């Protein structure tokens, strides 16, 4: 018993939100939980191993973190430090813009949580700019917490209540990603400012949060109106041999032996594993897309009807799935490719290496800024936000223009903002 307590004490001393631990831990945990597939790999006839790409991603990420850490480099100001005093004012303007767009969207388009088809039919421009509401509130509240000379539990409760209110507003839209980003950014700020979060507590909270969001998706699927074309679950009309048909039926029977609610617990990571493996299989047959996925991020703002990157991923993985008699994703839905899959589809192992190297470099640059300036600075807020978004992209990929713009703003703000706390108070 004493040895167990000593081991737990050592574990709890780990700074779980450092660049060396948090993102790699999330990546490893994500793909580790995908190993419990309940025969879904057999059902989708998965053949290609994802592990060379995963290990390469981890290796290159650590190279980026290590080099920047040892060199003690930080993000340069690019001669724009004079803009630092306007950062908070600009965030306030973005928040007000987001609030206006959110209200117009709510009163004009209904709630996305009621059905997936409603969520997809929200006004795209209003939906885009409404994201600035949670983004602005997150930065302002986090920074205000950072500036508190003495953070009491009462103040923490007030900040937490405001966080919860804004999270509820976006829960009504049916989007989970903003909720996860707000939640984990808040936890990181709480860890550094209010009370250090022990690793054992964090793992418990992570499990509870993962189950909650999995059940949220589970309920959303159960309540779909299947009479709507968007919600149909038809499978490809393809000729299979008697042996192939029998294997497919047998695999589906094995899958259905596990209760649906249990499969939902790790369905996101299992699906991510399936999608990544299918992407690797696709590139072996058809070659890489050579930047088409990443160009699609910016093409979505062009006039006319554009295909989103995640819809392109759906077409890619389903082109393989059709041959096997089973869609990976319903034809009308988008597919989250994982960040590894996003990079691999456009440029294979080389782009995976470059992408994760850059992740490591960026995170370490900001973390060095935090170490130089101290926790009570905007740099801590920037670091918490950036590492959270990067961790979320392990599943979703970084394919939303709004998130790229948010990351760009936060990184630039961290590079130009000054450390004079009195001048930056609001």
């Amino acid at each position: 018993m004493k040895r167990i307590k000593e081991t737990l004490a050592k574990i709890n001393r780990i700074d779980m939100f450092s660049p060396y631990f948090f993102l790699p831990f999330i990546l490893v945990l994500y793909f580790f939980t995908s190993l419990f597939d309940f025969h879904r790999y057999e059902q989708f006839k998965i053949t290609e191993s994802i592990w060379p790409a995963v290990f390469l991603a981890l290796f290159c990420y650590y190279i980026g973190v290590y080099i920047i850490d040892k060199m003690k480099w930080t993000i340069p100001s690019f001669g724009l430090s004079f803009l630092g005093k306007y950062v908070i004012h600009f965030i306030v303007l973005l928040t007000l813009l987001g609030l206006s767009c959110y209200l117009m969207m709510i009163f004009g388009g209904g709630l996305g949580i009621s059905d997936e088809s409603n969520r997809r039919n929200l006004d795209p421009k209003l939906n885009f700019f409404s994201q600035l509401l949670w983004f602005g509130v997150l930065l302002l509240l986090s920074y205000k917490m950072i500036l508190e000379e003495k953070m009491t539990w009462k103040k923490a409760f007030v900040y937490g209540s405001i966080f919860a209110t804004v999270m509820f507003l976006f829960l009504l839209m049916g989007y989970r990603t903003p909720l996860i980003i707000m939640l984990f950014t808040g936890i990181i700020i709480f860890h550094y400012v209010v009370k250090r979060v022990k690793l054992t507590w964090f793992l418990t909270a992570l499990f509870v949060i993962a189950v909650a969001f999995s059940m949220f998706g589970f309920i959303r699927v159960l309540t779909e109106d299947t009479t709507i074309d968007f919600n149909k679950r038809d499978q490809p009309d393809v000729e299979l041999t008697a042996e192939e048909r029998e294997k497919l039926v047998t695999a589906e029977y094995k899958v259905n032996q596990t209760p649906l609610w249990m499969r939902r617990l790790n369905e996101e990571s299992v699906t991510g594993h399936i999608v990544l493996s299918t992407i690797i299989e696709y590139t072996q047959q058809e070659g890489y897309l050579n930047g088409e996925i990443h160009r699609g991020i910016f093409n979505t703002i062009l006039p006319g009807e554009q295909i989103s990157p995640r819809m392109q991923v759906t077409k890619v993985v389903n082109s393989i799935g059709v041959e096997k008699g089973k869609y990976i994703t319903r034809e009308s839905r988008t597919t989250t490719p994982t960040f590894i899959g996003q990079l691999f589809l456009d440029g294979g192992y080389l782009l995976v290496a470059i992408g994760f190297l850059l992740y490591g470099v960026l995170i370490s640059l900001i973390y060095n800024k935090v170490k130089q300036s101290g926790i009570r600075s905007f740099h801590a807020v920037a670091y918490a936000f950036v590492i959270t978004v990067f961790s979320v992209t392990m599943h979703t990929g970084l394919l939303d223009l709004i998130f790229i713009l948010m990351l760009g703003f936060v990184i630039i703000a961290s590079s130009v903002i000054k450390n004079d706390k009195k001048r930056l108070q609001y």
Side-chain angles (χ1 to χ4, degrees):
M1 182 64 71
K2 183 179 179 180
R3 184 171 294 179
I4 294 175
K5 288 183 178 179
E6 290 176 352
T7 303
L8 289 176
K10 289 180 181 179
I11 292 174
N12 285 328
R13 283 197 292 270
I14 296 173
D15 181 5
M16 72 194 76
F17 298 114
S18 74
Y20 286 102
F21 184 81
F22 185 63
L23 188 145
F25 173 76
I26 294 297
L27 178 61
V28 171
L29 181 65
Y30 178 80
F31 284 110
F32 172 75
T33 58
S34 75
L35 294 176
F36 304 94
D37 64 301
F38 305 114
H39 303 285
R40 290 190 68 199
Y41 298 156
E42 181 181 350
Q43 181 184 27
F44 288 94
K45 300 179 182 178
I46 297 305
T47 57
E48 301 303 323
S49 173
I50 66 168
W51 299 112
V54 172
F55 291 137
L56 175 66
L58 281 170
F59 178 71
C60 292
Y61 169 82
Y62 273 119
I63 289 177
V65 170
Y66 181 79
I67 291 175
I68 300 302
D69 182 32
K70 291 304 176 184
M71 300 300 293
K72 293 182 170 51
W73 288 340
T74 62
I75 301 175
S77 64
F78 304 105
L80 300 174
S81 57
F82 67 94
L83 295 174
K85 60 184 178 181
Y86 301 113
V87 168
I88 301 302
H89 301 86
F90 191 65
I91 295 175
V92 172
L93 290 177
L94 292 178
T95 306
L96 294 175
L97 173 61
L99 177 61
S100 301
C101 292
Y102 180 87
L103 293 175
M104 286 190 286
M105 184 170 60
I106 283 290
F107 292 122
L111 302 177
I113 196 174
S114 59
D115 192 280
E116 181 79 2
S117 58
N118 290 345
R119 183 161 72 97
R120 299 295 179 185
N121 291 322
L122 295 172
D123 185 294
K125 293 185 179 63
L126 291 178
N127 190 18
F128 182 89
F129 287 108
S130 70
Q131 304 295 315
L132 297 174
L133 172 59
W134 67 262
F135 174 66
V137 170
L138 176 60
L139 295 185
L140 293 174
L141 280 180
S142 298
Y143 191 45
K144 184 65 175 175
M145 290 176 66
I146 289 289
L147 294 179
E148 290 285 358
E149 292 290 346
K150 183 179 180 182
M151 177 59 69
T152 64
W153 283 102
K154 182 179 179 181
K155 290 179 180 178
F157 176 77
V158 172
Y159 290 131
S161 299
I162 299 173
F163 265 112
T165 300
V166 177
M167 289 174 67
F168 176 74
L169 293 179
F170 282 90
L171 176 65
L172 295 177
M173 305 314 302
Y175 286 101
R176 290 176 290 180
T177 303
L179 308 184
I180 295 173
I181 293 174
M182 287 194 70
L183 188 59
F184 280 96
T185 302
I187 290 175
I188 295 173
I189 297 298
F190 181 90
H191 168 79
Y192 286 123
V193 178
V194 182
K195 182 177 175 61
R196 185 182 180 89
V197 179
K198 296 180 179 180
L199 181 58
T200 50
W201 294 357
F202 176 72
L203 292 176
T204 303
L206 187 64
F207 175 76
V208 172
I209 292 168
V211 171
F213 279 99
S214 295
M215 291 301 103
F216 173 71
F218 175 56
I219 293 171
R220 194 167 64 185
V221 170
L222 287 181
T223 57
E224 285 179 351
D225 182 358
T226 54
T227 62
I228 301 174
D229 287 341
F230 183 81
N231 293 328
K232 286 185 177 179
R233 304 173 188 180
D234 298 336
Q235 291 301 322
D237 183 15
V238 60
E239 290 291 334
L240 297 175
T241 64
E243 183 181 358
E244 290 173 333
R245 180 68 63 185
E246 183 179 354
K247 286 182 178 179
L248 182 59
V249 170
T250 301
E252 289 179 347
Y253 173 77
K254 290 180 181 179
V255 169
N256 291 329
Q257 291 298 104
T258 304
L260 182 58
W261 67 267
M262 187 178 294
R263 281 181 272 144
R264 279 299 311 182
L265 292 176
N266 68 335
E267 182 169 0
E268 303 293 353
S269 62
V270 171
T271 301
H273 189 131
I274 292 170
V275 169
L276 177 54
S277 177
T278 306
I279 285 173
I280 294 172
E281 184 177 355
Y282 174 88
T283 58
Q284 290 178 347
Q285 296 180 13
E286 305 293 336
Y288 305 121
L289 297 188
N290 300 317
E292 185 178 338
I293 293 295
H294 290 83
R295 282 195 298 270
I297 299 172
F298 302 95
N299 288 343
T300 53
I301 63 174
L302 297 177
E305 185 176 349
Q306 305 292 335
I307 299 177
S308 72
R310 289 194 180 92
M311 187 56 74
Q312 288 180 296
V313 175
T314 297
K315 291 186 176 182
V316 164
V317 296
N318 278 350
S319 68
I320 299 295
V322 166
E323 300 172 1
K324 301 175 180 180
K326 187 74 174 177
Y327 285 133
I328 306 296
T329 304
R330 281 180 276 178
E331 289 187 292
S332 57
R333 301 298 179 91
T334 58
T335 304
T336 50
T338 75
F339 187 56
I340 296 177
Q342 164 187 339
L343 297 170
F344 199 99
L345 187 54
D346 260 351
Y349 291 107
L350 176 62
L351 198 57
V352 170
I354 294 172
F356 275 84
L357 180 70
L358 289 177
Y359 261 23
V361 166
L362 283 172
I363 289 174
S364 198
L365 285 171
I366 302 174
Y367 193 67
N368 283 347
K369 200 88 168 181
V370 176
K371 288 193 291 187
Q372 290 181 10
S373 305
I375 293 300
R376 296 191 178 279
S377 65
F378 183 83
H379 311 300
V381 178
Y383 173 73
F385 180 80
V386 170
I387 198 168
T388 298
V389 173
F390 282 178
S391 298
V392 169
T393 63
M394 294 304 104
H395 169 66
T396 64
L398 187 58
L399 294 172
D400 297 288
L401 180 59
I402 188 65
F403 288 133
I404 294 175
L405 294 176
M406 287 176 179
L407 286 168
F409 173 80
V410 167
I411 292 170
I412 293 172
S414 179
S415 71
V416 303
I417 203 165
K418 295 181 179 179
N419 298 322
D420 184 350
K421 186 171 67 175
K422 292 182 179 179
R423 292 185 63 185
L424 295 175
Q425 197 116 16
Y426 61 93

